[in-house]
Structures are given as structure tokens and as C-alpha cells.
Amino acid sequence: MLTRTFKRPEFLHKLLLGYWVTTSLILFSYLFLRAAEQGKELSILLKTFPELPLGVLMAGINVLLAAGLWRIAPSERPLYLSLALIQQAVSLNFLGVLLIYFYQRQANYRFWQRPTKEQLGLFISFGVLLLLTLLVLLLRLRLLLA
């Protein structure tokens, strides 16, 4: 019964939305709890620990991905999911990659399709998200090596 439920695209759609929103809420909650525990303002905590703003940025990107998936027309989902898969892979979010992969597979979406003129805005916005993700990844790498 559970395997049949997991194979429905609607279930995977909701699971992916829930995953992106829940992981972001967990990170934001952790951040506020840590600030309260240390008795510091959130801005001071973000300045003290340079890896926290990068995590907040990635959580914000996940919220944007969830909002986009929630609002996008079903005809736009194949391209949206392909671009989201690339973004999640670049951000090293392997669980997100797997969820998108299974969703695409169960919905019979092709991995990549050429964007139409109407989808150009979607393509450009994902380009900006991808560049922001790469910047965050490079900054995290620099923090690790420093």
C-alpha cells in the first residue's frame, strides 16, 4: 500500500514541497533558538558565525523553490523540476535531488526540455538562483579551507 502511494506523482509533489518547507523551517527555528539561548540578537549571531548566513541563504532558496513549485502551472513543471534538480545537485542537497528524480520519473516528465519563449523568464530566474547557489558553495568551501 505504501509503495503504491509513493508512486503517485501527487504524493511526490506534496512530499517535495513539504521537504523544502520543513528543512527551511527547521533551520530558521534553530537559528532563532540559538540566538535566544546565547542571549544575543539574531544579527549579532549571524555576524559571529559566518556559516549561518550561508545556511539561511540556502534555506531561503529552498523556500523559493517550494513557492515556485506550488504556484507553477502543471505544463511548466517538467522544465521547473529539471532546473530545480540541477540547483539541488549543485547545492549538494542529495535528498532533494532524489525526491525530484522520483517525482519526474513517476510523472513521466523528461529530464530536460528546451525552454519556449514563454519559459525564458523561468530559465533566467533559475540561472540567477544557480549563480547564487554557486556563490554560497564557494563561500562555504572558502570557510572550510580557511
Side-chain angles (χ1 to χ4, degrees):
M1 180 72 167
L2 182 62
T3 56
R4 191 177 326 151
T5 302
F6 189 71
K7 289 185 176 184
R8 290 195 331 225
E10 304 86 32
F11 174 75
L12 290 166
H13 178 85
K14 291 175 184 175
L15 185 65
L16 185 59
L17 281 172
Y19 169 71
W20 280 333
V21 170
T22 303
T23 54
S24 298
L25 285 175
I26 288 171
L27 180 71
F28 290 135
S29 299
Y30 168 75
L31 192 61
F32 284 112
L33 288 174
R34 190 164 175 188
E37 176 189 31
Q38 293 187 0
K40 296 180 181 178
E41 289 185 23
L42 190 58
S43 60
I44 294 172
L45 189 67
L46 290 172
K47 290 177 187 175
T48 308
F49 301 101
E51 68 277 356
L52 289 179
L54 298 176
V56 167
L57 246 138
M58 291 309 297
I61 288 173
N62 281 346
V63 168
L64 287 174
L65 289 172
L69 183 61
W70 182 57
R71 297 287 300 168
I72 201 157
S75 62
E76 306 287 323
R77 283 189 192 148
L79 178 63
Y80 187 86
L81 289 171
S82 295
L83 294 169
L85 183 87
I86 294 167
Q87 187 278 333
Q88 293 287 282
V90 167
S91 67
L92 305 176
N93 186 351
F94 299 117
L95 186 55
V97 168
L98 285 173
L99 287 173
I100 294 170
Y101 170 76
F102 288 125
Y103 180 21
Q104 282 182 316
R105 191 169 149 201
Q106 291 305 316
N108 292 324
Y109 294 151
R110 288 187 357 202
F111 168 66
W112 186 253
Q113 68 179 23
R114 188 177 216 118
T116 63
K117 288 181 183 178
E118 292 81 25
Q119 295 172 327
L120 191 59
L122 177 66
F123 198 73
I124 291 171
S125 62
F126 258 99
V128 171
L129 270 181
L130 193 57
L131 287 174
L132 187 59
T133 302
L134 284 171
L135 176 69
V136 169
L137 195 61
L138 288 173
L139 290 172
R140 279 187 176 174
L141 185 62
R142 186 170 181 212
L143 285 173
L144 282 174
L145 297 176

